[in-house]
Amino acid sequence: MAISVVMPALEMAQETGKLVSWKKKAGDQVKKGEMLLEIETDKAVVEIEAQGDGILGGVTAKEGDVVPVGQTIAWLLKPGEQPPANVAATQTGRKMDSAPAAAAAAAAPAAPEPISTAGARISPKARRLAREHGVDIATLRGSGPGGEILAEDIMKAARPTSAPSVAPSGPPEAVSSIGRIMAERTTQSWTTVPHFFVSRDVDASSLNAARTSLVPVIEKSHGVKVTHTDLLVAAVARALRQHPRMNASWANGSVTLNPDVNVALAMAVESAVITAVIRGADKATLGDIAKQRSQLAERARANRLQPADIAGATFTISNLGMFSVDAFTAIIVPPQAGILAVGAIADRVVAVDGMIGVRPMVNLTLSSDHRLIDGASAARFLNDIVLAIGEAGKFS
């Protein structure tokens, strides 16, 4: 039976994916697990593996095409087999998914089929954005397949059209599709999610001591060096286990308590920031966390993240300490309940037992979604992170 190759959905809000490249060409023999194509999302360029064996045929998408999620773009065929008729519309074959079963369960489902309203096809996400920004969809011409109105059409219509008071002095800078979609997502989060913030300056002596003592142990057992970020992931994961509401998601007006603690790390790559996921962080050893983080960072730098690397996060940490940033506030990644912003560890003059002393201090600022978390709950969660940091030397 022919196996369909479809544009996969790697996150809840994804409507389309851009085909970056085919790793095989039509007529090539493909084996299960081989890299078949690369797609670009708002987070990363992701390699997709073949789910079965076959000869690549019936290819309908070329490099650079933006394709709706769930649409068939090729088939894996047996010798002598022909692609089914109406390839683009057929959805009966097996879908591509490079993540294993456990990772696939954590990945977001494919976007729902767009529905027709007021004579125009419009996706549920675009409909919601139209309501939020007061855009009349009857006045729009959709840029999607068949004239479908997409979220980017709504956001474009919602932008002010008046000319700037000062004309730009040079040509506009090109923005990658990852950067453009990231800008739209952060704008959407900032304008639709009710953020509030709690912040604490924390004595990082225990973090420094733990890192010094655990580096040789982790390096010997896992072949990687433990970082402050690894210790923070372990501390945050332990606190999330005690605060399930902070590990929950808000979607479609309801709360979902996530059974797994998957902590995402914001990573800067060329022209964008992506979030890669440490899975099962509350159950992983510190060595496992360090190894996952190291491998994710390496793949992110090479633009070779896998679907399972970026899907299913339940909370995010953004650490700018390596850039000597003292403190900042971060924007929540929907549908997550919060994100922790981490500043640089630096020596400061502080009161110690009523005396003047110098301690390595770090600022932690928690951004929370007020629909999920109240101020007292956020404060308790942040306090439990601080308590976990104090016991960093006991992390195993």
Side-chain angles (χ1 to χ4, degrees), residues 73 77 90 109 112 146 182 190 192 205 213 223 251 260 293 333 355 359:
I73 55 177
L77 309 167
T90 301
M182 182 183 70
W190 184 248
T192 62
S205 298
S213 63
D260 300 317
R293 186 263 315 151
V333 182
M355 304 291 289
R359 290 290 187 273

Side-chain angles (χ1 to χ4, degrees), residues 218 222 234 238 280-292 396:
I218 302 300
H222 289 77
R238 283 161 170 74
D282 61 324
K283 300 175 182 176
T285 66
L286 185 60
D288 291 336
I289 289 173
K291 189 166 186 177
Q292 282 193 63
S396 58

Side-chain angles (χ1 to χ4, degrees), residues 162-170:
S162 57
S165 57
V166 178
S169 58

